[in-house]
């Protein structure tokens, strides 16, 4: 009698996704179209130039998110299929959901939403926040919980970004504040509310193996290579974009070397930690995003990359265990060390940069903002207190505070919602295991011949 109900949690995922995709098909049929006016006359060359200048960067970001980030999450040896698939699924789900919300909020004119490559790009930036946030609860949440989390996070991100960029006028071309910091503390808020005050013990399937660490390191290398495209794609082509690429390359190069130095010094035998390499090497790209297109000297980019790698590695070594003991905070992938701490460091660097810079050298007027776009000159014109470098520094600090506060509050509320029994949270025994979601052909790696029935019964009981 228990067998039919035990399939309900398994059918919840296709039911959820089927209803979502069916609803979007109807929505697109009624309200979404391509911009046909751009196909006439001189607009044809303009659109062609935009495609040729944007799509190569867009492809780089696709490789980063689908391949690089997916492989980075495969450090859990029994959860590789799930990590790659859930990352891919959440990217597509979140991008479509963000496309609908952004279209209704910003691009709904005369009953139609005109779709183009730029709108698709900014929707993918919104999806990045979800991919980062789920790292805090990776392996301990069901696919349905992750989809509900994405459903809640996208509107929270859009609201936070509107306040930070449009209302406060924060300059953040690489998404350090609007994306990395927001997604980090949203994920930590979800983790805190979902697991409450219970200490999460070390799971037997949680320890990485040399093979899983190697796959994760390959993901790091892919992310490292393509990261400059992520930072520079929303800059105007020309000097601003060129400067953003150079600063990002310098910062990430410095973070890679500093990670090796710091990790080696922290170990008594001088050996390197794979976890440090997988994360610390990318910390420079997180920190530099907010100041990537500023007229900063090359040594500043190198210094920021080195400092971000140091705080990332030290965070893994000392801060994560401390937060786990004192606050019972579970952070599976260490997103606080890779996205939170370097993001705060980058935001602080932007405050200092605008405090010491003159109005003429604070920022190129052709720089374009993160996801919603816009010119820095337009933002400065609307600055409270008359704008200028000093006023911009206060706006950067206010944007950091809003990002942390809004993301934590939204994350806590979302985490509380994820505790609903109908979302089929996996029992502790079946966490970090692909066999809960996939048919594993290698019987030597599966729990046993009766695992499917046992997993169904355990899922139902949970």
């Amino acid at each position: 009698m228990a067998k039919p109900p035990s399939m309900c949690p398994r059918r919840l995922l296709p039911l959820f996704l089927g209803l979502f995709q069916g609803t979007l098909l109807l929505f697109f049929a009624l309200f979404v179209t391509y911009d046909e006016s751009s196909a006439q006359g001189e607009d044809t060359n303009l659109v062609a130039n935009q495609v040729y200048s944007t799509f190569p960067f867009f492809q780089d970001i696709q490789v980063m998110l689908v391949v690089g980030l997916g492989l980075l999450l495969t450090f859990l040896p029994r959860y590789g299929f799930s990590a790659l698939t859930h990352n891919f699924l959440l990217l597509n789900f979140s991008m479509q959901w963000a496309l609908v919300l952004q279209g209704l909020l910003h691009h709904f004119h005369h009953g139609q939403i005109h779709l183009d490559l730029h709108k698709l790009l900014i929707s993918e930036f919104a999806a990045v926040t979800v991919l980062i946030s789920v790292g805090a609860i990776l392996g301990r949440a069901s696919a349905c919980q992750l989809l509900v989390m994405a459903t809640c996070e996208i509107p929270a991100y859009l609201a936070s970004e509107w306040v930070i960029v449009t209302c406060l006028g924060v300059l953040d071309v690489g998404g350090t504040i609007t994306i990395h910091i927001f997604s980090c503390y949203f994920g930590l808020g979800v983790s805190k509310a979902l697991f409450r005050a219970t200490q999460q013990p070390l799971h037997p399937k949680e320890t990485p193996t040399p093979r899983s660490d190697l796959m994760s390191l390959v993901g790091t290398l892919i992310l490292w290579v393509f990261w400059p495209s992520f930072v520079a794609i929303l800059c105007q082509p020309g000097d601003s974009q060129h400067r953003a690429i150079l600063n990002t390359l310098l910062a990430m190069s410095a973070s890679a070397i500093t990670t090796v130095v710091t990790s080696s010094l922290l170990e008594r035998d001088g050996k390197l930690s794979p976890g440090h390499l997988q994360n610390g090497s990318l910390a420079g790209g997180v920190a530099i995003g907010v100041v990537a297109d500023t007229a900063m000297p090359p040594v500043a980019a190198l210094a920021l990359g080195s400092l971000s790698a140091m705080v990332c590695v030290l965070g893994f070594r000392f801060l994560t265990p401390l937060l786990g003991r004192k606050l019972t905070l579970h952070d599976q992938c260490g997103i606080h060390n890779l996205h939170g701490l370097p993001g705060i460091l980058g935001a602080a660097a932007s405050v200092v940069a605008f405090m010491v810079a003159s109005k003429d050298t604070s920022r190129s007027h052709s720089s374009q903002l993160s996801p919603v776009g816009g010119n820095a000159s337009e933002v400065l014109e609307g600055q409270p207190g008359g704008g200028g470098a000093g006023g911009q520094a206060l706006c950067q600090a206010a944007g950091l505070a809003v990002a942390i506060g809004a993301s934590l509050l939204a994350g806590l509320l979302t985490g509380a919602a994820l505790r609903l029994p109908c979302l089929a949270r996996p029992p502790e025994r079946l966490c970090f295991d692909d066999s809960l979601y996939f048919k594993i052909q290698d019987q030597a790696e599966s729990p046993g011949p009766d695992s499917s029935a046992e997993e169904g019964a355990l899922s139902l009981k949970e």
Side-chain angles (χ1 to χ4, degrees), residues 185-441:
Y185 290 100
F186 184 93
L188 294 180
V190 169
S191 177
K192 181 64 178 176
L194 180 59
F195 303 119
R196 291 185 178 176
T198 57
Q199 182 72 35
Q200 296 298 319
L202 182 65
H203 198 280
K205 302 173 186 176
E206 194 174 350
T207 304
T209 63
R211 182 177 179 180
S212 65
D213 268 334
L214 178 61
M215 293 296 293
S216 183
L217 186 57
V218 172
T220 296
L221 298 180
I222 294 174
L223 288 169
W224 193 95
V225 169
F226 291 109
W227 202 289
S229 296
F230 182 84
V231 174
I233 188 172
L234 290 173
C235 296
Q236 290 288 349
D239 183 61
S240 176
Q241 196 170 69
H242 182 229
R243 188 163 54 242
I245 293 173
L246 291 177
N247 285 332
T248 305
L249 286 171
L250 289 175
M252 298 198 69
S253 180
S255 66
I257 294 178
T258 305
T259 297
V260 174
V261 174
T262 308
S263 179
S264 180
L265 292 176
L266 288 176
E267 300 294 335
R268 293 182 180 179
D269 53 5
K271 296 182 179 180
L272 303 178
S273 168
H276 295 167
L277 290 175
Q278 294 157 8
N279 294 274
S281 303
L282 304 174
V286 175
I288 197 66
V290 69
V291 291
D293 59 340
T294 57
M296 59 193 302
V299 66
L302 288 172
L304 187 57
S306 295
L307 288 175
S308 61
M310 289 178 61
V311 299
C312 178
V313 174
L314 292 175
F316 272 102
R317 184 61 183 272
F318 301 108
L319 186 58
T320 296
L322 180 64
L323 294 178
R325 291 193 307 268
K326 301 297 184 181
L327 301 179
T328 61
L329 185 62
H330 178 75
D331 184 7
Q332 185 63 48
C333 295
I335 61 173
H336 188 230
N337 304 313
L338 175 55
H339 302 277
L341 297 178
I344 292 175
L345 179 64
S350 71
V351 173
V352 174
F354 283 111
M355 287 180 64
V356 301
S358 66
K359 185 176 181 179
D360 293 333
T361 60
S362 62
R363 176 84 52 139
S364 169
H365 291 298
S366 63
S367 297
Q368 193 175 10
L369 298 177
S370 67
V372 292
N375 293 327
S377 58
E378 296 174 355
V379 175
L380 287 174
E381 289 174 2
Q383 287 296 328
Q392 187 61 44
L394 293 177
C395 291
Q396 300 294 114
L400 174 62
V402 169
I404 295 177
S407 59
L408 277 175
L409 177 60
L412 289 171
L413 295 175
T414 303
L418 296 186
R419 297 183 62 86
L420 293 173
C422 62
L423 296 180
R425 177 184 166 187
E428 185 66 21
R429 177 185 176 276
L430 299 178
C431 291
F432 311 109
D433 200 325
D434 285 326
S435 62
L436 187 59
Y437 307 101
F438 291 89
K439 286 185 176 181
I440 306 298
Q441 300 299 327

Side-chain angles (χ1 to χ4, degrees), residues 12-26 93:
L12 185 61
L13 177 62
L15 178 62
F16 186 99
L17 288 176
L19 289 175
F20 170 79
Q21 197 64 68
T23 304
L24 255 66
L25 284 172
L26 180 61
F93 177 87

Side-chain angles (χ1 to χ4, degrees), residues 149-193:
M149 177 178 172
T151 304
C152 298
E153 183 170 4
I154 293 298
Y157 162 75
L158 295 177
S160 170
E161 184 211 39
W162 179 78
V163 172
I164 293 173
V165 176
T166 304
C167 298
L168 296 178
V170 172
L171 302 180
D172 184 18
V173 70
T176 298
I177 298 174
T178 55
I179 295 177
H180 292 285
I181 291 179
F182 177 88
S183 57
C184 168
Y185 290 100
F186 184 93
L188 294 180
V190 169
S191 177
K192 181 64 178 176

Side-chain angles (χ1 to χ4, degrees), residues 89-99 123 126-127 130-131 150 154:
L89 174 63
L90 287 170
L91 172 63
N92 289 279
F93 177 87
S94 303
M95 181 187 67
Q96 293 186 48
W97 179 226
L99 196 63
S123 298
V130 176
L131 303 185
I154 293 298

